[in-house]
């Protein structure tokens, strides 16, 4: 943990999160605490607010009210150094969002050099480590256009990992991938969990959630409907809405 | 004299060509200097304005849009005549070289601003989000992530526009800038022969053809594939 962080505090703590777009209440009071090294999966139908919730955690979306903390330190509120706190929260996007004009390595080192002020040599050493972690050290010199979707997403994960964040947010990391490329990305996520990373994942990968997640949260219409260990939520859902969603998804 | 001989004598009179070639060469130098200055300052200023506009400060953006629209709408010759013949009446004397430089630079800057701005707005929102999520500030994301992608898109229209505007240095002739065309028309009226104009035309081709080729090279150089 980083200096100044409270060891007893959850790695990510979301309290009373509200967000509305005009008249549309997208989040109606969300509370989530993710423990250190915990992998939490968030499921829910589209429009349930799960992506918005995730994007509020590093304030890509500005919450209307509520408090968010990382390792005990506030993300929301006045006087927060947003660029500093964001380095402690890694984010992986559905569309990868790699910088197309930079090589894989330069994608990973950009923030190290420009935000952390590391020398090129140090940043590249750290960047190569991160690329090796996702199994793509040999693609360091490739541009995103030369990589498959799965490789691009792994480089995007390395870009976030290079900053050694305390929490990683995954916004549907495999939804844009061809089915045969999903496995590699999930494998990297499994390795990260083994290495003790704290992760909050919005995803439709039910099978992966069932055997990798510590906890599953089901969201619908801006509220958390139920949550628990995957075997409970998948095996014995308590709410009709959860049952309806799961049967719809598995019934395809 | 046959028709053909008269034609050759009018456009390719060896004596006239030799006599006035040094003058036209001096004009080439003036045109080259002006063109380089206009391209560098004009594109630099335009890109700078487009970046300022990215901060979306309402008053500032409005001023930039007004500048860009006015300078894109006005024919440069009108501005040149106003600045050179009008301003002295208001007590502001500018050299013909400076007037030509200012008008063409501002005109190029206006177009460059719109071109680079269009490039910036076409950069996917996800690019900004990825940059900001790793702790880059707005300016850092603009400079290191958005601008390089905007410039790549802007290179073809920017080079076309730069060529079109620098060719307008010939407008300097009407206010006495000693550029290629001015030297040629002077020589033509002294000699009563059109050969200096042909020489000027050749000089323009020799000058701008490498420019066009450089533009092509730049377009290839920046044409990394989009994801």
């Amino acid at each position: 943990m980083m200096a100044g962080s409270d060891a007893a505090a959850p790695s990510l703590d979301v309290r009373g999160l509200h967000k509305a777009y005009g008249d549309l209440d997208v989040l109606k009071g969300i509370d989530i605490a993710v423990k250190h090294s915990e992998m939490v999966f968030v499921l829910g139908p589209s429009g349930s607010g799960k992506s918005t919730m995730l994007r509020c955690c590093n304030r890509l979306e500005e919450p209307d009210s509520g408090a968010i903390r990382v390792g005990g330190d506030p993300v929301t509120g006045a006087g927060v150094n947003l660029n500093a706190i964001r380095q402690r929260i890694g984010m992986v996007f559905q569309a990868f969002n790699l910088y197309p004009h930079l090589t894989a390595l330069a994608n990973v080192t950009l923030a190290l050099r420009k935000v952390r002020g590391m020398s090129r040599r140090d940043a590249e050493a750290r960047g190569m480590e991160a690329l090796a972690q996702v199994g793509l050290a040999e693609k360091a010199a490739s541009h995103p256009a030369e990589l498959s979707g799965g490789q691009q997403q792994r480089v995007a994960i390395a870009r976030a990992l290079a900053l050694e964040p305390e929490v990683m947010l995954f916004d549907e990391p495999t939804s844009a991938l061809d089915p045969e490329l999903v496995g590699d990305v999930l494998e990297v996520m499994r390795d990260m969990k083994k290495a003790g990373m704290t992760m909050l994942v919005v995803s439709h990968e039910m099978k992966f959630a069932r055997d990798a997640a510590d906890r599953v949260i089901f969201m619908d219409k801006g509220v958390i409907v139920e949550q628990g260990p995957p075997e409970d939520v998948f095996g014995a859902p308590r709410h009709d809405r959860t049952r309806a969603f799961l049967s719809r998804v598995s019934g395809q | 004299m046959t028709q053909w001989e008269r034609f050759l004598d009018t456009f390719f009179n060896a004596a006239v060509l030799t006599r006035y070639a040094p003058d036209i060469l001096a004009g080439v130098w003036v045109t080259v200097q002006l063109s380089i200055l206009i391209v560098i300052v004009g594109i630099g200023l335009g890109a700078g304005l487009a970046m300022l506009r990215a901060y979306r400060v309402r008053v500032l953006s409005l001023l930039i849009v007004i500048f860009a629209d006015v300078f894109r709408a006005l024919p440069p010759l009108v501005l040149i005549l106003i600045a050179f013949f009008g301003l002295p009446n208001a007590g502001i004397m500018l050299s013909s070289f400076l007037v030509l430089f200012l008008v063409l630079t501002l005109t190029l800057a206006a177009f460059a601003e719109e071109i680079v701005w269009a490039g910036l707005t076409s950069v996917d929102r996800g690019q900004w989000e990825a940059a900001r999520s790793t702790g880059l500030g707005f300016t850092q994301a603009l400079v290191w992530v958005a601008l390089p992608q905007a410039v790549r898109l802007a290179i073809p229209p920017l080079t076309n526009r730069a060529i079109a505007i620098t060719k307008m240095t010939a407008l300097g002739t009407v206010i006495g800038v000693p550029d290629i065309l001015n030297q040629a028309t002077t020589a033509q009226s002294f000699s009563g022969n059109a050969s200096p104009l042909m020489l000027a035309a050749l000089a323009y081709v020799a000058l701008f053809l490498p420019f066009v080729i450089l533009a092509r090279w730049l377009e290839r150089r920046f044409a990394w594939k989009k994801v």
Side-chain angles (χ1 to χ4, degrees):
Chain A
M1 274 223 178
M2 283 182 76
S5 302
D6 180 353
S11 290
L12 177 69
D13 194 21
V14 177
R15 287 277 158 258
L17 180 61
H18 283 265
K19 175 75 182 172
Y21 294 113
D23 290 338
L24 183 67
D25 281 332
V26 182
L27 301 175
K28 305 170 194 162
I30 300 288
D31 299 292
I32 296 177
V34 184
K35 291 197 294 280
H36 186 61
S37 296
E38 192 182 18
M39 183 195 251
V40 176
F41 250 73
V42 182
L43 307 175
S46 62
S48 59
K50 54 197 194 304
S51 271
T52 305
M53 181 275 294
L54 202 69
R55 292 161 57 83
C56 281
C57 290
N58 65 353
R59 286 172 64 190
L60 284 182
E61 301 286 344
E62 199 58 48
D64 292 340
S65 67
I68 296 164
R69 287 173 180 276
V70 168
D73 297 325
V75 177
T76 49
V80 167
N81 182 342
L82 196 52
N83 293 334
I85 201 86
R86 274 176 173 161
Q87 295 174 56
R88 296 166 60 183
I89 310 167
M91 186 153 199
V92 175
F93 300 86
Q94 180 177 1
F96 328 138
N97 298 347
L98 287 184
Y99 314 131
H101 59 299
L102 300 177
T103 63
L105 183 60
N107 264 276
V108 176
T109 56
L110 184 69
L112 294 175
R113 298 193 60 201
K114 303 304 172 192
V115 183
R116 291 273 167 90
M118 285 169 75
S119 69
R120 174 189 287 267
R121 174 204 279 249
D122 291 351
E124 289 187 346
R126 177 74 199 100
M128 287 307 296
E129 262 177 60
L131 283 175
Q133 252 176 296
V134 299
L136 287 176
E138 81 282 7
K139 295 289 184 187
S142 302
H143 279 80
E146 298 158 351
L147 302 173
S148 74
Q151 290 171 333
Q152 288 185 53
Q153 190 59 298
R154 283 148 68 198
V155 171
I157 292 172
R159 175 172 64 184
L161 275 179
L163 292 161
E164 301 175 297
E166 290 156 64
V167 187
M168 288 275 290
L169 310 173
F170 290 84
D171 190 4
E172 310 209 11
T174 56
S175 302
L177 294 175
D178 292 335
E180 75 272 19
L181 301 176
V182 169
D184 289 343
V185 172
L186 296 183
E187 203 50 50
V188 167
M189 290 170 70
R190 211 187 293 266
D191 289 345
M192 288 167 69
K193 177 172 164 46
K194 264 187 229 145
M197 179 57 74
T198 309
M199 298 150 108
L200 184 58
V201 185
V202 168
S203 169
H204 294 293
E205 299 291 338
M206 303 293 172
K207 200 168 153 298
F208 182 69
R210 198 186 268 266
D211 52 58
D214 296 304
R215 181 153 52 108
V216 173
I217 291 175
F218 176 69
M219 264 180 82
D220 191 19
K221 301 192 174 91
V223 295
I224 291 176
V225 176
E226 73 174 282
Q227 58 178 304
E231 54 273 22
D232 292 3
V233 175
F234 289 119
R238 278 168 292 147
H239 285 263
D240 292 342
R241 280 196 273 174
T242 319
R243 272 194 289 276
F245 173 74
L246 290 175
S247 72
R248 226 177 22 252
V249 173
S250 59
Q252 286 174 350
Chain B
M1 222 191 247
T2 66
Q3 192 72 25
W4 175 241
E5 281 165 346
R6 189 178 311 159
F7 176 84
L8 280 182
D9 182 65
T10 304
F11 291 105
F12 300 98
N13 183 308
V16 174
L17 285 174
T18 331
R19 166 82 179 75
Y20 292 101
D23 290 350
I24 289 177
L25 209 61
V28 168
W29 176 231
V30 172
T31 299
V32 167
Q33 268 182 310
L34 260 173
S35 301
I36 291 172
L37 279 173
I38 289 165
V39 168
I40 291 173
V41 181
I43 291 180
L45 181 62
L49 289 174
M51 287 172 72
L52 269 182
R53 196 170 160 191
Y55 289 85
R56 297 184 192 272
V57 178
R58 196 166 296 174
V59 183
L60 204 59
S61 296
L62 186 67
L63 291 175
I64 292 169
V65 169
I66 291 171
F67 161 77
D69 286 359
V70 168
F71 272 82
R72 289 187 306 153
L74 278 170
L77 184 56
V78 174
L79 284 169
I80 288 168
L81 294 175
I82 289 173
F84 192 72
F85 295 112
L87 283 182
N89 295 330
I92 302 168
M93 294 282 284
L94 301 175
S95 74
S96 56
F97 187 93
L98 190 58
V99 165
L100 188 59
F101 165 74
L102 283 177
V103 169
L104 294 186
T105 295
L106 291 175
T107 306
L108 180 55
F111 281 100
E113 188 279 322
E114 285 300 309
I115 291 167
V116 174
W117 174 249
L120 282 175
T121 54
S122 73
V123 172
D124 189 75
R125 203 167 63 115
Q127 292 288 311
W128 286 91
E129 292 182 348
R132 299 305 304 274
S133 78
T134 56
L136 267 75
F138 182 85
T139 305
Q140 287 175 320
L142 176 62
V143 171
W144 302 110
V145 174
L147 189 66
Q149 299 182 52
V151 166
R152 172 191 166 274
L153 289 172
I155 289 280
L158 218 45
T159 49
N160 279 332
R161 187 54 66 178
I163 291 165
I165 303 263
T166 46
K167 279 196 293 193
M168 289 185 197
T169 50
L171 294 174
T173 298
V174 299
I175 55 171
V177 176
D179 73 320
I180 297 174
L181 186 61
N182 194 0
Q183 299 285 8
T185 48
T186 307
Q188 183 247 338
S189 51
F190 277 132
S191 63
N193 183 284
S195 298
L197 290 174
M198 288 308 290
L199 198 51
L202 280 173
Y204 277 115
V205 171
L207 205 59
F208 283 100
L209 210 55
F211 200 167
V212 175
I213 291 166
L214 175 74
R216 251 187 234 294
W217 179 82
L218 272 175
E219 282 164 31
R220 263 204 312 273
R221 168 79 180 68
F222 278 85
W224 36 262
K225 271 182 281 173
K226 222 176 155 70
V227 180

